[in-house]
Amino acid sequence: AQSVAQPEDQVNVAEGNPLTVKCTYSVSGNPYLFWYVQYPNRGLQFLLKYITGDNLVKGSYGFEAEFNKSQTSFHLKKPSALVSDSALYFCAVRRSGGSYIPTFGRGTSLIVHP
Amino acid sequence: GAGVSQSPRYKVAKRGQDVALRCDPISGHVSLFWYQQALGQGPEFLTYFQNEAQLDKSGLPSDRFFAERPEGSVSTLKIQRTQQEDSAVYLCASSLGRVDEQYFGPGTRLTVT
């Protein structure tokens, strides 16, 4: 079985400050990890993924995420938040070399204050 | 290029009615997924197609749910005899292959009254 935990329902940050949205996962074997963002009344948009290689992954809109195997985490980060980053963020995991079905977390609402 | 489109965007059905939800994936994408997203939750897997073959339908909640992709492009999710618990947003996503990131449509919000 595979699972994803996003421990924070909501993250508040001031514009210009760094942001972190947390994600931990459980999967047998090696993980494929993804972050998606969802704006109101729109579908999920892909931000970045970890498949293999460097633990620090860079993605769209200045976001990055760090894969930490020992802590089974894949936290999303951005050095300087924008008001336009306010949205719902989903972490997803699937097992490499096997199931193609991803499991999504419940989502974290990011609110960036001006 | 066009993204994934879904229609209708909103559907209100009376309990017991049948509904059909359409998904137009990105051209050339082999994989197509359907998800159900309840309010305040992440997407929950329903079914997966590779071209026209439905390889996994383990997430379909009951035999009232049926999906098809007869020519390996457009897909339809059909719900028969809708119930109130079917109310949710239904998301379609496509990807080039099994390991790639998915591209999501805007979803169809189904409300069963």
Side-chain angles (χ1 to χ4, degrees), chain A residues 42 51 60-62 65 80:
Chain A
R42 300 191 49 189
I51 302 297
S60 307
Y61 311 119
S80 179

Side-chain angles (χ1 to χ4, degrees), chain A residues 19-95:
Chain A
L19 70 88
T20 299
V21 182
K22 295 180 181 177
C23 171
T24 58
Y25 67 90
S26 174
V27 69
S28 58
N30 294 320
Y32 290 163
L33 293 154
F34 303 83
W35 274 103
Y36 291 86
V37 59
Q38 186 175 34
Y39 297 100
N41 298 316
R42 300 191 49 189
L44 281 70
Q45 295 178 34
F46 169 75
L47 275 180
L48 49 79
K49 66 181 177 184
Y50 172 82
I51 302 297
T52 187
D54 284 343
N55 289 343
L56 184 64
V57 178
K58 294 188 184 296
S60 307
Y61 311 119
F63 284 94
E64 58 188 29
E66 185 165 13
F67 170 61
N68 187 317
K69 188 171 183 177
S70 63
Q71 296 186 4
T72 61
S73 68
F74 190 56
H75 300 331
L76 181 70
K77 300 183 180 186
K78 186 173 182 181
S80 179
L82 299 172
V83 172
S84 58
D85 293 330
S86 299
L88 199 53
Y89 290 81
F90 291 95
C91 180
V93 68
R94 51 159 288 214
R95 183 168 58 91

